[in-house]
Amino acid sequence: MTDTPETPADDVRDLAEIPAVEVISRAAVMLMSSAAEKLGLGDENPDDSVHLDLDEARRVITALAGLVTASVEYLGPHAGPIREGLQALQKAFREASAHPDEPGKGPGEKYTGPVY
């Protein structure tokens, strides 16, 4: 039996060939996209989005903040845009919250510091 591009063995080889900065960046973009959807930002009116789930958004934003904080030294020129995206999501979370967290207590802020 020969391997096809869809086999797990090829997936592992493909991942082995991808530079770490690209893997980290892809993971960050996936987390950013998930957080944006869970904040309802993909809909015309985020407040009425069927996808709005602040509890889930908090989890994803916190995971993103941990990833960014832990890997910032490896991200090079990607660090700035990823940090800006994270901060924008943290601000969007604060705006979407009926009772915003105190500065420093919002999602991911234990890793990034307070976001105003």
Side-chain angles (χ1 to χ4, degrees):
M1 183 169 149
T2 60
D3 285 337
T4 63
E6 292 78 33
T7 64
D10 286 336
D11 290 343
V12 171
R13 276 195 295 270
D14 289 344
L15 283 174
E17 295 171 7
I18 300 171
V21 66
E22 189 172 337
V23 173
I24 295 166
S25 297
R26 285 183 186 185
V29 168
M30 180 177 282
L31 290 167
M32 288 173 148
S33 296
S34 175
E37 287 296 324
K38 291 174 188 318
L39 288 170
L41 299 177
D43 292 331
E44 192 171 313
N45 186 354
D47 294 333
D48 295 332
S49 174
V50 297
H51 303 291
L52 183 63
D53 187 334
L54 294 181
D55 187 47
E56 286 286 303
R58 177 184 295 279
R59 294 172 187 182
V60 177
I61 293 168
T62 300
L64 174 61
L67 174 64
V68 171
T69 301
S71 60
V72 71
E73 67 182 290
Y74 309 117
L75 293 174
H78 303 279
I82 291 173
R83 279 179 146 170
E84 290 170 9
L86 168 58
Q87 193 171 60
L89 290 166
Q90 289 171 311
K91 288 177 181 177
F93 182 93
R94 185 173 300 282
E95 290 173 9
S97 298
H99 304 285
D101 298 312
E102 295 177 32
K105 302 290 185 186
E109 291 183 9
K110 69 180 179 181
Y111 301 114
T112 64
V115 175
Y116 301 96

